[in-house]
């Protein structure tokens, strides 16, 4: 209590082992009930699990839909409605689902979120977030070395319209308390040189329909070569930027950066199990997807990992890992039983 900044320490553990290919993971928190809901999209099904904040355990999974869509995302509206979206370039696969029960049950919300036509290429990542009465989405593909298209929705995600496209990979998306959308991504330091190293950038958008291609790119200094990024904006105004990077020995490291000025500048958290350190015990396997959320003074990061022959999940083709973190979160209650 009363610490000056976010404290990243705590535990990590596998929460799901599966023989299926985990294609996407995401997590959100309903703002009123403060319930984290994790979403897992594998090669056959889309499932959710909600966190019990008293036991710090996930519930049994709930099947949202049977779908072969490539990417998916989950977000929450101010009234605690949770929305799940699946996206693909194949016609008939891009849909949306709605829950008003903290993810206990789901109903169809949209049969086609791209009514103006399916995206031309299969997504490598897809994220949707609520922004000031509208929805903003980012759709990343591997076309032309990596392209990110932003989408806007004025009907709470039932339909999306493309807004702009720019070069980039490893996209992340969050919306701050001030209503600013923050897009994190990697791109070539010198776009004209294919051999140029990758750098990490963020773009700030004041509205879902603002053009990202003309928005200024803010360079975020990285320690090593960034592989993937994700963004979470807490409701206390703080923004977390997670990046997985290759160090000089080709170990995969997770670094955590924080912004207290609506994404204009960033500082690195260090000397902790998550942030400027290798990601987890014996494993140097990079997660294929990762996302953070916060609830009641705790942070939660869900990550999908492929087969790890060195760690404690050997023999498991894919697993979902939960990192539980302590963060400063003044707007919610303190609970001595939980240690904060």
């Amino acid at each position: 209590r009363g610490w000056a900044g976010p404290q990243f320490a705590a535990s990590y553990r596998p929460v799901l082992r599966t023989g299926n290919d985990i294609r996407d993971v995401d997590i959100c928190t309903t703002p009123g009930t403060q319930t984290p809901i994790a979403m897992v999209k594998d090669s056959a099904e889309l499932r959710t699990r909600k966190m019990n904040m008293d036991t710090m355990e996930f519930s049994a999974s709930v099947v949202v839909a049977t779908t072969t869509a490539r990417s998916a995302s989950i977000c929450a509206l101010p009234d605690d409605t949770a929305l799940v979206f699946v996206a693909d370039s194949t016609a008939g696969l891009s849909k949306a689902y709605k829950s008003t029960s903290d993810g206990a049950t789901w109903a169809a919300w949209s049969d086609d979120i791209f009514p103006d036509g399916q995206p031309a290429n299969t997504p490598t990542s897809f994220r949707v977030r609520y922004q000031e009465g509208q929805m903003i989405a980012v759709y990343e593909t591997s076309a032309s070395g990596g392209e990110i298209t932003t989408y806007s929705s004025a009907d709470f995600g039932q339909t999306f319209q493309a807004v702009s496209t720019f070069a980039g990979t490893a996209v992340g998306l969050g919306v701050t308390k001030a209503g600013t959308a923050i897009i994190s991504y990697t791109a070539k330091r010198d776009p004209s040189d294919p051999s140029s190293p990758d750098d990490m950038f963020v773009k700030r958008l004041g509205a879902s329909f603002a053009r990202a291609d003309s928005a200024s790119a803010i360079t975020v200094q990285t320690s090593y070569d960034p592989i993937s990024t994700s963004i979470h904006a807490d409701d206390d105004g703080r923004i977390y930027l997670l990046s997985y990077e290759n160090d000089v020995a080709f170990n995969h490291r997770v670094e955590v950066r924080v912004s207290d000025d609506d994404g204009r500048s960033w500082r690195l958290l260090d000397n902790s199990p998550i942030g400027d350190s290798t990601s987890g015990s014996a494993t140097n396997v990079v997660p294929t997807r990762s996302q953070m959320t916060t609830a009641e003074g705790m942070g939660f990061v869900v990550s999908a990992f492929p087969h790890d022959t060195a760690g404690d999940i050997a023999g498991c083709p894919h697993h979902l890992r939960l990192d539980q973190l302590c963060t400063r979160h003044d707007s919610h209650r303190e609970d001595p039983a939980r240690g904060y």
Side-chain angles (χ1 to χ4, degrees), residues 133-324:
Q134 301 196 358
M135 311 294 290
I136 184 170
V138 289
Y139 185 104
E140 176 193 339
T141 76
S142 58
S144 303
E147 288 184 343
I148 299 167
T149 299
T150 61
Y151 286 82
S152 176
S153 172
D155 54 12
F156 297 102
Q158 289 188 302
T159 59
F160 285 88
Q161 290 74 44
V163 178
S164 63
T165 299
F166 63 98
T169 60
V171 71
L173 176 65
V175 175
T176 72
K177 184 178 182 180
T180 305
I182 307 290
I183 301 173
S184 60
Y185 65 102
T186 63
K188 293 297 181 185
R189 184 176 302 167
D190 180 358
S192 65
D193 181 5
S195 63
S196 173
D198 285 341
D199 281 341
M200 186 162 59
F201 303 90
V202 297
K203 287 177 178 277
R204 304 173 65 252
L205 302 180
S208 63
F209 50 81
R211 295 191 65 90
D213 55 349
S214 57
S216 298
I218 300 171
T219 302
V220 180
Q221 185 65 44
T222 59
S223 302
Y224 307 103
D225 184 26
I227 300 171
S228 66
T229 73
S230 65
I231 284 273
H232 170 66
D234 203 346
D235 63 5
D236 65 359
R238 185 172 289 115
I239 313 167
Y240 300 94
L241 171 57
L242 278 67
S243 61
Y244 289 85
E245 305 174 14
N246 270 329
D247 66 16
V248 292
F250 295 100
N251 293 315
H252 296 304
R253 303 167 67 90
V254 57
E255 294 195 337
V256 182
R257 291 169 177 81
V258 175
S259 174
D260 296 304
D261 58 5
D262 210 46
R264 295 176 178 86
S265 63
W266 300 85
R267 56 188 173 87
L268 176 68
L269 302 183
D270 54 15
N271 300 320
S272 65
I274 185 167
D276 195 25
S277 64
T278 53
S279 55
S281 58
T283 177
N284 281 320
V285 179
V286 68
T288 54
R289 291 288 184 272
S290 184
Q291 185 62 48
M292 177 181 174
T293 194
T294 49
E296 295 188 359
M298 297 298 298
F300 302 95
V301 180
V302 289
S303 304
F305 284 81
H307 176 62
D308 172 20
T309 57
D312 59 356
I313 41 81
C316 175
H318 280 78
H319 78 287
L320 186 72
R321 194 180 84 179
L322 173 71
D323 287 273
Q324 183 175 314

Side-chain angles (χ1 to χ4, degrees), residues 107-156:
W109 180 238
S110 174
D111 287 332
D112 184 4
I113 63 174
F114 299 124
D116 295 337
Q118 297 300 124
N121 298 286
T122 301
T124 53
S125 186
F126 180 63
R127 287 291 180 261
V128 182
R129 298 293 182 258
Y130 170 82
Q131 184 185 18
E132 298 291 287
Q134 301 196 358
M135 311 294 290
I136 184 170
V138 289
Y139 185 104
E140 176 193 339
T141 76
S142 58
S144 303
E147 288 184 343
I148 299 167
T149 299
T150 61
Y151 286 82
S152 176
S153 172
D155 54 12
F156 297 102

Side-chain angles (χ1 to χ4, degrees), residues 12-18 38 40 49 51 56-59 301-303 313 319-323:
Y12 67 91
R13 64 186 188 275
V15 293
L16 170 68
R17 294 176 170 88
T18 176
V40 180
R49 294 174 177 231
M51 171 72 73
M56 295 293 171
E57 297 290 341
F58 277 119
S59 66
V301 180
V302 289
S303 304
I313 41 81
H319 78 287
L320 186 72
R321 194 180 84 179
L322 173 71
D323 287 273

Side-chain angles (χ1 to χ4, degrees), residues 64 95-98 106-111 158:
V64 180
K95 300 176 181 290
Y97 303 88
K98 173 182 176 180
W106 294 88
W109 180 238
S110 174
D111 287 332
Q158 289 188 302

